C-alpha cells in the first residue's frame, strides 16, 4: 500500500572536469558529483491528477511548461516501469542546483524522482534501471546524451566515464575547484548539435579536436593520481581552447576564463554543454580559490562555488 507512505530520493549536481562533448563521440570524460549541491525528491499519495511541486513549476504534470519536458518524460517512464498509476501522486523536488548551467540539473531531477517513486513503491532500482530511466529524460533534454550526467548524479565519488560505462576514480590531488555561473542559460541540445555541425563542415579538424580532448582526459587521470595541479591546470586551459574552436564557448565564458587566469588560476575551462552555463577554474589552495571566486564575481558571475578535490569525499560550498 502506498497510501500512507512518502518515498524519498537524493542525487546531486555534477561538474565535468574534462571530456565534455568529446564523450559524445566515444572519448573518455571525468566528472565529479558536487556533494553540497544536492537534489532531494519526495513522492506521496494524493488523490487527483499526477502533480509536481518544484521551484520552476507547481501543478498538474500534464500542464507543466516545455522546460520540464525532460523530467516529465523520465517520470512517466518510471511510473510505467514500476507499474504505478499516472494519477493520485504528488512529486516534489527541492534543490539549489541552477537549471541549464551545465551542472546536471535535469539528470539530478529525473534521478531523484525515479528513486523517490521506487521508494514509494517499496522497490530498489538497480544502477542500470536508474540509469535507463534518467536517460529517458536526458534524451529529451540533450538529443543524444552520452550518459555522463546520468551516471555522475547517481554517484557519490568522482568517475571516469567512457562508452556508457563508468568506474570510480581515486583522486590524490591537492587543489580546489572554483565553479562560476555566467548567468547565461546553456542549451546542451543546441551545443551538441553545433559540435556535430562543426564536424560535418570540418571533418579533419573536428576529429583532431575531439581526439585532443580525449588525450587531455587520459593525461588528466595521471595528474590526478600523481598530484600535478600545475600540469592539470594547463590541460584544462587547452581543453577550453579546443572546446571554443568547436563552437561551444561564449563571450561570457571567455571573459570569465581570462579573469580566472589573471586572478591566479592554474587553468580554467567551460564545463558541461557550454555556450553559457558555468566556468571551472583550478586553484592551488583555498586562499587562491577565494581570490579567484571574488574576481569572478566582480567580473559579473552571479554565483560561485568552491569545491575541494583533495579528499576522498570532496566538499563544496557556495560563496
Ligand atoms: C553535458 O553535461 C555533457 C555533454 O558532453 C553532452 C553529453 O555528454 O551527453 C556536452
Amino acid at each position: 500500500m502506498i497510501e500512507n507512505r512518502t518515498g524519498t530520493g537524493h542525487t546531486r549536481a555534477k561538474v565535468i572536469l574534462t571530456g565534455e562533448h568529446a564523450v559524445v563521440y566515444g572519448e573518455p570524460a571525468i566528472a565529479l558529483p558536487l556533494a553540497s549541491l544536492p537534489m532531494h525528491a519526495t513522492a506521496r499519495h494524493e488523490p487527483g491528477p499526477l502533480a509536481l511541486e518544484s521551484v520552476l513549476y507547481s501543478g498538474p504534470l500534464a500542464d507543466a511548461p516545455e522546460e520540464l519536458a525532460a523530467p516529465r518524460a523520465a517520470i512517466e517512464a518510471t511510473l510505467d516501469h514500476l507499474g504505478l498509476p499516472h494519477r493520485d501522486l504528488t512529486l516534489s523536488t527541492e534543490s539549489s542546483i541552477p537549471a541549464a548551467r551545465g551542472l546536471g540539473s535535469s539528470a539530478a531531477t529525473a534521478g531523484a524522482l525515479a528513486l523517490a517513486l521506487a521508494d514509494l513503491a517499496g522497490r530498489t532500482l538497480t544502477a542500470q534501471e536508474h540509469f535507463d530511466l534518467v536517460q529517458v529524460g536526458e534524451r529529451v533534454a540533450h538529443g543524444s546524451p552520452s550518459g555522463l550526467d546520468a551516471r555522475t548524479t547517481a554517484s557519490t565519488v568522482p568517475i571516469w566515464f567512457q562508452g556508457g560505462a563508468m568506474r570510480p576514480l581515486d583522486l590524490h590531488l591537492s587543489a580546489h575547484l572554483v565553479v562560476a555561473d555566467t548567468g547565461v542559460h546553456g542549451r546542451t541540445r543546441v551545443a551538441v548539435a553545433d559540435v556535430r555541425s562543426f564536424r560535418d563542415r570540418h571533418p579533419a579538424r573536428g576529429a583532431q579536436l575531439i581526439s585532443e580532448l580525449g588525450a587531455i582526459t587520459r593525461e588528466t587521470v595521471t595528474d590526478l593520481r600523481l598530484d600535478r595541479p600545475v600540469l592539470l591546470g594547463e590541460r584544462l586551459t587547452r581543453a577550453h581552447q579546443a572546446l571554443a574552436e568547436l563552437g561551444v564557448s561564449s563571450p561570457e565564458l571567455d571573459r570569465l576564463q581570462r579573469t580566472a587566469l589573471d586572478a591566479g588560476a592554474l587553468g580554467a575551462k567551460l564545463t558541461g554543454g557550454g555556450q553559457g552555463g558555468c566556468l571551472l577554474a583550478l586553484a592551488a589552495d583555498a586562499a587562491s580559490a577565494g581570490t579567484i571566486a571574488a574576481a569572478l564575481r566582480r567580473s559579473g558571475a552571479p554565483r560561485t562555488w568552491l569545491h575541494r578535490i583533495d579528499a576522498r569525499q570532496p566538499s563544496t560550498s557556495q560563496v
Side-chain angles (χ1 to χ4, degrees):
M1 291 298 283
I2 62 171
E3 274 75 3
N4 301 320
R5 292 179 47 123
T6 297
T8 58
H10 312 283
T11 53
R12 50 213 64 77
K14 67 98 192 15
V15 71
I16 300 176
L17 191 60
T18 56
E20 54 274 271
H21 288 289
V23 71
V24 173
Y25 300 94
E27 295 290 349
I30 295 172
L32 291 76
L34 297 178
S36 61
L37 267 183
M39 170 70 66
H40 302 294
T42 62
R44 64 179 192 276
H45 179 259
E46 191 140 324
L50 177 60
L52 181 67
E53 294 168 346
S54 73
V55 279
L56 287 178
Y57 166 82
S58 286
L61 191 65
D63 301 337
E66 185 53 32
E67 58 192 311
L68 288 174
R72 182 177 166 184
I75 290 166
E76 287 169 349
T78 305
L79 293 173
D80 291 342
H81 183 73
L82 296 168
L84 289 172
H86 286 236
R87 55 171 296 108
D88 300 333
L89 290 169
T90 293
L91 310 174
S92 68
T93 58
E94 203 190 302
S95 179
S96 47
I97 306 175
R101 294 298 198 276
L103 298 182
S105 153
S106 65
T109 305
L113 286 169
L115 293 173
L117 283 166
D119 187 34
L120 182 72
R123 287 268 314 274
T124 310
L125 295 174
T126 64
Q128 189 58 43
E129 282 175 314
H130 187 248
F131 174 77
D132 290 343
L133 293 168
V134 175
Q135 279 292 80
V136 172
E138 291 299 279
R139 263 179 228 113
V140 174
H142 293 191
S144 53
S146 65
L148 174 61
D149 290 18
R151 288 281 187 223
T152 315
T153 56
S155 174
T156 52
V157 295
I159 66 164
W160 163 279
F161 178 92
Q162 189 168 24
M166 61 152 275
R167 66 176 160 81
L169 263 189
D170 231 4
L171 306 188
H172 299 278
L173 186 81
S174 306
H176 291 240
L177 294 178
V178 182
V179 179
D181 185 359
T182 59
V184 178
H185 271 235
R187 288 162 305 153
T188 303
R189 176 186 272 279
V190 176
V192 168
D194 286 352
V195 171
R196 198 168 294 282
S197 148
F198 182 97
R199 283 177 84 247
D200 291 344
R201 284 177 288 122
H202 312 283
R205 185 64 184 146
Q208 206 175 24
L209 289 167
I210 297 286
S211 86
E212 185 187 343
L213 287 164
I216 287 173
T217 299
R218 287 186 196 90
E219 292 158 359
T220 291
V221 176
T222 317
D223 298 335
L224 294 173
R225 199 179 303 131
L226 300 182
D227 193 8
R228 301 194 304 206
V230 174
L231 283 177
L232 173 59
E234 286 164 11
R235 289 190 225 290
L236 298 186
T237 301
R238 234 170 67 214
H240 183 82
Q241 280 150 8
L243 289 162
E245 195 177 334
L246 285 168
V248 294
S249 189
S250 70
E252 294 82 8
L253 282 164
D254 289 344
R255 182 169 48 77
L256 290 185
Q257 193 221 21
R258 275 194 304 277
T259 302
L261 295 174
D262 288 348
L266 300 175
K269 65 180 272 290
L270 65 89
T271 182
Q275 299 184 341
C278 285
L279 181 91
L280 177 67
L282 187 74
D285 52 38
S288 168
T291 305
I292 294 163
L296 288 166
R297 287 196 303 280
R298 276 197 307 277
S299 187
R303 280 173 292 205
T304 55
W305 297 268
L306 302 184
H307 184 73
R308 259 180 55 197
I309 53 172
D310 57 346
R312 281 283 166 95
Q313 290 190 318
S315 65
T316 319
S317 56
Q318 185 177 353
V319 288

